[in-house]
Every structure is written in structure tokens, then in C-alpha cells.
Amino acid sequence: MNTKLQSIHNLFYPSSIAIVGASNDTSKIGGFMFEQIKDHPSITAYAVNSKGEEIQSRESYKSIIEIEDDVEVAIIVIPKQFVLNILHECALKKISKVVIISAGFKEVGEEGKKLEQEITTFCKNNNITLIGPNCLGFLNAELKLNASFAKDIPQSGGVALVSQSGAVIDAIIDWSFAHNIGFSKIISVGNMAGVTQHDFLEYLMQDDKTKSIVFYLESLEEGKKFQELLNKTTPLKPVFILHPGKSVNAQNAIGSHTGSLAHNYELIKTIYSYSNTILVEGFDELFSHLTALKTKLPTGNKILIITNAGGPGVIATDCLDDFNLHKYTLTNEERELFKELPQAASLENPVDILGDADPKRYSYALNTALKTQADGFLILLTPQMMTNSKAIAQEIIELDKETNKPIYCCFLGSKEVKDALSYFDLTNVAYFSSPRAALESYSKLLTYNTSKPLLTNSKSSPQRNIEVQKKGLLNQEETLKICKQLGLKTPKTYLLNSVHDIYTTNFDPHCTYFVKADNILHKKDVGAVKPHIQPEELVPTLEEMFSTFSKENPDVTIIVQEEIKGIEVIAGLKCDESLGNFLLFGSGGTAVDIFKDISFAPTPITTEISQKVINSTLISKLLHGYRGDEAVNIEDLQQALEKISYLPSMYENLVEVDCNPIIVNKEGAYLVDVKLLFK
């Protein structure tokens, strides 16, 4: 464990804490926080208050400097304008860990941003581990330590929580009490002016007390570094990330909340997907996943449903397809095992054990189901007149102890099933609010448990033989040279720089041509594209093109290409200074704007990633051959995508690549229109 990680560890297991801004008023943050730690059996608490008065029947100090003993952690709860002075005192006192609760920094504007930068610089220069500012604090449930202004300490357990929002921590802690979910460490990172989510992830990855990690993140810096840490963590323990910011309104709210810049949500999703991280859409889904972790992780997708009512069984069956799960089909031999069920019971899947099912029948049905080859079980219950839901819950709990397969329960209702649900809460049986919630959690945890991070290509990039000195959009002649350097296929191409070139170029008389003007974005919109040009039409078409486009740009280049037939796809690169470099692939031509059939992958890609990025799109069905159509040369397309993905490592000043369309047929993948943008 390096010095920074050891410092984080010591933060969670401190010998002494000074609260700067402690008071007698426990309705204020400083007073509440001192009240939480002053009687802790293993931690010495010091109250620091500028008035020097007695605080909560304890001696207080006007300054940290006045404390004679060593202090390990200082928690600062005072107005922002005094924080820097306190940090100077911490440095003199050799306090190595500081948590700044105070707000009013970069989240409120330029003045606050400047002050936050001064604080960051001071802490870095004085080897102070800084948490915050603008944060809730931290908790160690194992020690029953609440060094925050969260109202309660959750029970001890295996979930670690790292959040940019203190209110999210409050909500999750409050929910956890009712569902018997325990936590190892909880940290509010605030503005992350010092220790970042990367540091906490690296620490929690190595923390033996932590079995799973939950992040609430509103921003992500150094995306490539974070992905590398996730790649190391997810094989050891599941990581769940709740990351809002899909909509423009949400992105604006993020900026006003933590002063963070919201990035392209699709790129962030890609980072999480390829690192086998579980991206969570909201609180309900997160709570379902944490509940599901109480039981065994799924290992297969064949689900057997047991129900006492047909309707909920049908609803659950509908949900299976939505989450790539399969309805398990009972064999004839397995149906025979259910012979003691009433004759009216359905022995299909769902197994309908009828509305009058009592605890004994539920126990028999589940015990029998466990002898089948199904991978997991969903137990549905609706409260009917004769249903004893609590006794049924007790039977399920006992059977759950005897199997290594996951049993998910969904007892529908409220008043009639609340006692049963409370009983489940005291055990390791997972229950859910609806069949959809249960099956979504099953599916995501199955994907996690049966997958691994997809690592980017570690091979060195191809040698760069062509230098690019220009800024902006590269011209077609230099673009074609770079394509040739990478071994990318392009159609037979003629570059015409003047009207004179029309009459001196030896065009192939047997080709159909595609004519376009160079260095024009969205060519179709301005008539800069002329498809399906026959040899006899070529000269007048070129004369017209030069006449039209040389008026605005006398140096315009007209491109004549052999027309290639096939399926149009798009490939491109998005280079983000914060998140990293990403390949995009999908349906090409004008369809890209209509259908938005696009998938992303971090670069440089491997063959395995190229397969995933292609198969993640709808256009892949056409590429592989649809309804008897001939499949295209997928292998050549994969190789083209891999070569394109190396461009950012070859050219650091590359901003964006747009290959639209690439036309793919059985001969290969041809880059018809390529744009390279440099800074």
C-alpha cells in the first residue's frame, strides 16, 4: 500500500480527531459532529472553537496549535474565508489528514474556484491528505465512527459507498436500516480538490472489509486511469456506479451542484461497460442490486418461476426477454417430480401452484424445483384469502440455506405481506418490489459474474511515416496517404485540383463514379455529392462541380471515386482530453443521424473488442447476412476498425476522425469518405 493509500486507511482508523468549528449547539454541523465522536472509545476528540469556551462539557481550544497532543485528523467546519488559515495551523501542527466540510468553493463560481485551487496547492506542498471541500465527511461502520453530519451510523457490513453528494449518502443509509444492508466505509468526496474517486477506488479494491463498492458520481476526470483501476477491481468485487447526466438539464444541475463539467454520457457508459462495472440508472435499481447481493451470485440464465397466480407469472415471463434471460423448460422427468401438486396446477414454466397454495405446497414446489437444471428461481406470491405469507417466507428461508443457486422472491402487495418481507430482511434471502426489478438485478449480476473487463490493445501503435503539421481538417491527398500507411482500403480515387485536370486525367471508362467536393462537411446538404455517375456523364458533372464550388473556394479539390456497392457503416474516433479516446461504430450514411445506431469502445481495440462493438449494433444483422443475403467480409471490417483505433496514439494532436461511409461487401471494407481533424 503506497503512502497515499496508507493515509486513506489511517483516516478511516484514526487515533484522534479535532473538530474545527465545534460548538454547543448540536443542531449545527460542528456541534453535531463533535457530539458524534467525543465519547468514541478508541478515538480522542478535540473541540476547536475561536471563543475557547467549554464545548459539550469538554475543554476546547482557540486554535489547533494549542492542543498539546498529536492530532491525526482535522475536520474543518467553518466559513470558507478562514479555511486557509486553519490549514496553515494544521501544517505547523503536522496534521497529515484534513477533511473540509465547508462549502462555497468551485461550486459557486470563479472566486470560490480560485480559493479551492489555493487550498489544493497548499495541501500538496505540505503533504496533507485533503478530503473535500463541500463534503459530508466519512463513516467507518466497523468502528461505529461517524465523522460526518449524516444522521445515523449504518450497521457494519461489506458495502463501501463513495459519493459526490452527501444527500445521496443520507438516503442510502436511511434505506439500509430497513433492509439489513451493512457498510464497511462511507466517504463523501465533495469537490475532490485532494483525494479523488480514483484514490478511494484503489484503496477499497485492497480493503478486506469491503466486498462490493458503490459510487455516486456526477463527473469523471482522467477516465482512462479510472477505467484501468476498474479493470483491476471488478475481477475481485462488484462495482456499482450511479452516474446521472443523460440530459442537458441534468448536466446543468451537475454544474451548479459540484462545479463539475458533465461529459459525454455515452463515453462514460462505455468506460463502465468495458470494465465490467454495473451502471445503475436510479435509486430503485441500486437498492435492488444491493438486496440481490445478500444471496448467491447467478451463474446461468435459465430461470424457473413459481407462482400462486397466473397474471404475475405472465408479467414475469414477459420480462425475461427484456433482460436476455431464458425461461427454463422442464423435462418430462422433471415434471414427474412435481406429481404431488394439485391436478389443476400448471407444470409449465411458470409453475402455477394455484391461489390456495399454503406454506407446505410452496415448500414442496421450491424443493422440487431445486432438483431441476434451472440456474435460478423467482418465487412470486400474491396475498389471497388463504395465503400465509410469513409462514411461506420461513419455508423459503430454510430451503435457501440448502442450495447454492440464487432464489429471488417477489411478494406482491403491502399490508398483507409486510411481516413476511420484514422476516426476509433479517436473512440472506433477496426480495424485490416487482418481477421486473428482480429479473433486472439477476441479469446484471449474471453479466458481471460471467464476464471480465475487455482490455484495450497493448501492442505498440504502427510506425508513423507521415507527419501532420496543419491544424483543422486535413485535405484529401494527405488523408489518403495516412489511410495507405495503415493499410486501409479505399476506392480507386482521382483528385482534381483544377478544371484542366478534368481533361488530362485518364479515367477508367468501365466504372460508375461517385463525385464530391473536398473539405466540405455534410456534403449532401449543399449538393457537393453526385452519386451514380456514368463515364459519359463524368466530364459535364465535373465541369458543373468546379463552376459551383470554386466561386467560394478557388482552390477546391474535386474527388472522383469508383463507386463501391455494399452496406454503409460509420466508424470514427472521439478524442476527449479528460475521458480518453474512443472508437465509434454503427449504421452509416444519412442513417447515422436518423437511427443513431452507434456503439463505442475505448481505444486501441483488440479483435475481441471489434467483435463486441460491431455486434452491439443493429446493422450487424445485415453485415452477417440477413434473410438469405450474403454476409460481408466481417474480418476485414474488424481489421479496419482496429487500424483506425490506433490513430490517436500515432497522432497526439488528433481531435476527431469521421469515416462515413465505410462501404462493406464480401471483398472487404472500403473507406469512402474520411475526415481527420487536428488541433
Side-chain angles (χ1 to χ4, degrees):
M1 194 177 284
N2 62 36
T3 303
K4 179 178 273 189
L5 298 187
Q6 187 62 54
S7 182
I8 293 172
H9 180 77
N10 294 341
L11 174 79
F12 285 113
Y13 297 90
S15 58
S16 57
I17 298 177
I19 304 292
V20 182
S23 75
N24 284 308
D25 187 349
T26 56
S27 67
K28 293 182 177 179
I29 294 175
F32 175 82
M33 292 185 70
F34 186 68
E35 182 186 41
Q36 294 296 303
I37 64 171
K38 68 177 182 177
D39 296 318
H40 196 283
S42 64
I43 299 169
T44 304
Y46 300 97
V48 179
N49 183 291
S50 59
K51 297 177 183 177
E53 61 190 12
E54 189 177 79
I55 301 295
Q56 300 180 33
S57 303
R58 298 290 181 88
E59 178 185 6
S60 76
Y61 303 85
K62 288 185 177 181
S63 164
I64 286 180
I65 303 296
E66 293 181 5
I67 302 172
E68 295 180 2
D69 299 324
D70 292 337
V71 177
E72 189 167 7
V73 178
I75 299 179
I76 301 174
V77 197
I78 57 174
K80 65 177 182 180
Q81 60 268 30
F82 304 115
V83 169
L84 202 51
N85 291 335
I86 299 300
L87 287 175
H88 280 276
E89 292 183 4
C90 290
L92 290 172
K93 186 65 179 169
K94 300 191 182 307
I95 297 174
S96 59
K97 292 169 280 295
V98 171
V99 180
I100 302 177
I101 306 294
S102 316
F105 293 91
K106 74 174 182 181
E107 76 276 9
V108 298
E110 284 302 316
E111 184 181 341
K113 185 177 180 180
K114 182 180 177 183
L115 180 56
E116 184 172 312
Q117 186 56 54
E118 290 178 31
I119 287 169
T120 300
T121 302
F122 181 85
C123 289
K124 190 176 293 185
N125 292 341
N126 289 276
N127 296 317
I128 294 174
T129 299
L130 169 64
I131 313 297
N134 184 30
C135 73
L136 184 85
F138 67 94
L139 301 93
N140 183 343
E142 178 194 355
L143 297 184
K144 293 185 169 50
L145 169 61
N146 183 5
S148 76
F149 57 98
K151 185 178 180 182
D152 297 297
I153 305 174
Q155 71 181 62
S156 181
V159 181
L161 172 60
V162 182
S163 176
Q164 273 187 275
S165 165
V168 167
I169 290 174
D170 288 327
I172 292 175
I173 289 175
D174 191 60
W175 169 84
S176 72
F177 289 114
H179 300 278
N180 199 33
I181 303 293
F183 292 83
S184 57
K185 316 288 192 304
I186 298 177
I187 184 72
S188 167
V189 294
N191 293 3
M192 293 187 290
V195 181
T196 66
Q197 69 261 49
H198 303 72
D199 303 315
F200 284 115
L201 175 58
E202 190 173 5
Y203 168 72
L204 293 168
M205 172 180 65
Q206 301 176 38
D207 180 37
D208 292 338
K209 304 293 183 183
T210 296
K211 308 305 178 187
S212 61
I213 305 169
V214 175
F215 279 93
Y216 172 81
L217 296 177
E218 294 180 353
S219 64
L220 179 61
E221 305 297 327
E222 297 183 273
K224 192 171 185 64
K225 178 182 175 183
F226 196 60
Q227 182 177 354
E228 289 169 355
L229 287 168
L230 287 170
N231 288 341
K232 294 176 182 177
T233 305
T234 56
L236 305 175
K237 55 192 75 173
V239 179
F240 303 89
I241 299 184
L242 177 55
H243 195 135
K246 281 186 187 179
S247 67
V248 173
N249 288 336
Q251 291 169 9
N252 292 337
I254 285 169
S256 62
H257 181 211
T258 59
S260 302
L261 176 64
H263 293 287
N264 186 317
Y265 189 75
E266 289 301 318
L267 302 187
I268 288 170
K269 275 176 58 178
T270 301
I271 288 173
Y272 299 153
S273 171
Y274 278 82
S275 59
N276 201 22
T277 300
I278 301 169
L279 180 62
V280 179
E281 295 292 336
F283 286 117
D284 288 343
E285 185 188 337
L286 175 62
F287 296 158
S288 290
H289 296 335
L290 293 181
T291 300
L293 284 180
K294 294 170 67 175
T295 191
K296 300 90 178 172
L297 284 174
T299 58
N301 65 356
K302 301 189 295 291
I303 307 297
L304 182 61
I305 301 167
I306 296 173
T307 180
N308 69 341
V314 173
I315 291 170
T317 304
D318 256 351
C319 295
L320 290 172
D321 286 344
D322 293 343
F323 301 115
N324 295 315
L325 299 172
H326 294 303
K327 185 176 77 166
Y328 179 66
T329 302
L330 292 166
T331 65
N332 290 333
E333 292 80 5
E334 288 171 341
R335 285 192 180 90
E336 281 298 312
L337 297 175
F338 289 91
K339 60 187 177 183
E340 292 184 22
L341 288 177
Q343 189 174 358
S346 170
L347 299 186
E348 298 299 322
N349 184 8
V351 176
D352 188 345
I353 60 176
L354 306 177
D356 63 349
D358 59 8
K360 183 179 178 182
R361 193 184 300 169
Y362 260 100
S363 179
Y364 169 75
L366 178 54
N367 191 38
T368 304
L370 292 173
K371 297 172 185 175
T372 71
Q373 294 301 306
D375 298 312
F377 307 91
L378 177 61
I379 313 301
L380 303 177
L381 178 146
T382 58
Q384 302 185 39
M385 183 186 70
M386 63 293 293
T387 306
N388 186 338
S389 59
K390 185 174 181 181
I392 291 169
Q394 290 171 327
E395 296 290 342
I396 293 171
I397 290 165
E398 291 306 311
L399 288 171
D400 181 70
K401 296 174 183 176
E402 300 173 12
T403 181
N404 59 359
K405 295 180 179 181
I407 299 172
Y408 284 26
C409 296
C410 180
F411 283 22
L412 296 164
S414 178
K415 179 173 71 72
E416 294 297 327
V417 299
K418 66 179 181 181
D419 289 342
L421 301 185
S422 297
Y423 200 57
F424 280 143
D425 280 325
L426 300 174
T427 71
N428 289 327
V429 174
Y431 76 86
F432 302 85
S433 60
S434 68
R436 172 167 288 275
L439 294 172
E440 181 177 30
S441 281
Y442 188 102
S443 175
K444 287 200 173 183
L445 288 174
L446 173 64
T447 299
Y448 163 75
N449 199 34
T450 57
S451 304
K452 66 184 191 312
L454 286 177
L455 305 180
T456 54
N457 208 323
S458 58
K459 292 191 299 186
S460 57
S461 60
Q463 185 176 353
R464 183 176 69 190
N465 299 320
I466 300 167
E467 297 297 327
V468 176
Q469 306 295 339
K470 299 177 181 178
K471 296 179 182 179
L473 196 62
L474 199 64
N475 65 42
Q476 194 65 22
E477 184 177 1
E478 291 175 305
T479 299
L480 288 171
K481 287 179 181 177
I482 290 176
C483 290
K484 186 177 181 180
Q485 172 185 245
L486 285 170
L488 293 163
K489 290 187 176 74
T490 57
K492 184 188 295 182
T493 302
Y494 307 88
L495 303 179
L496 310 184
N497 296 312
S498 68
V499 175
H500 177 72
D501 291 341
I502 299 174
Y503 314 110
T504 58
T505 301
N506 187 20
F507 297 107
D508 186 337
H510 304 293
C511 284
T512 300
Y513 288 105
F514 189 92
V515 180
K516 58 190 175 183
D518 191 18
N519 278 359
I520 295 176
L521 297 172
H522 307 299
K523 294 180 175 65
K524 277 191 176 181
D525 295 345
V526 294
V529 171
K530 302 289 183 183
H532 319 309
I533 303 300
Q534 299 302 315
E536 63 273 15
E537 302 171 312
L538 187 56
V539 169
T541 299
L542 292 172
E543 290 172 339
E544 179 190 348
M545 292 280 281
F546 269 112
S547 174
T548 301
F549 294 103
S550 62
K551 293 174 183 176
E552 290 188 13
N553 180 12
D555 298 322
V556 68
T557 296
I558 303 297
I559 303 164
V560 181
Q561 288 180 325
E562 176 187 2
E563 190 165 87
I564 305 290
K565 293 184 178 180
I567 298 173
E568 291 188 349
V569 298
I570 183 175
L573 289 167
K574 178 67 177 174
C575 305
D576 189 292
E577 290 183 2
S578 177
L579 297 179
N581 303 319
F582 297 83
L583 175 87
L584 69 86
F585 173 82
S587 301
T590 54
V592 68
D593 295 320
I594 299 171
F595 300 114
K596 302 191 185 303
D597 177 30
I598 294 292
S599 64
F600 291 87
T603 66
I605 67 172
T606 60
T607 301
E608 186 178 10
I609 292 178
S610 69
Q611 291 171 344
K612 176 180 170 69
V613 80
I614 291 171
N615 292 335
S616 297
T617 61
L618 297 174
I619 195 72
S620 66
K621 294 180 180 179
L622 294 179
L623 297 173
H624 286 289
Y626 186 67
R627 290 190 172 181
D629 288 343
E630 190 174 20
V632 304
N633 189 335
I634 291 287
E635 184 178 346
D636 195 61
L637 174 60
Q638 288 178 218
Q639 291 175 0
L641 296 180
E642 290 172 42
K643 291 170 182 176
I644 292 167
S645 78
Y646 273 109
L647 280 167
S649 56
M650 296 171 66
Y651 296 96
E652 293 180 359
N653 58 335
L654 185 67
V655 176
E656 199 167 313
V657 175
D658 184 3
C659 306
N660 186 24
I662 298 174
I663 295 182
V664 196
N665 54 34
K666 64 180 181 179
E667 279 79 36
Y670 295 86
L671 279 67
V672 173
D673 196 347
V674 183
K675 300 182 186 70
L676 303 178
L677 185 64
F678 291 83
K679 62 182 177 182

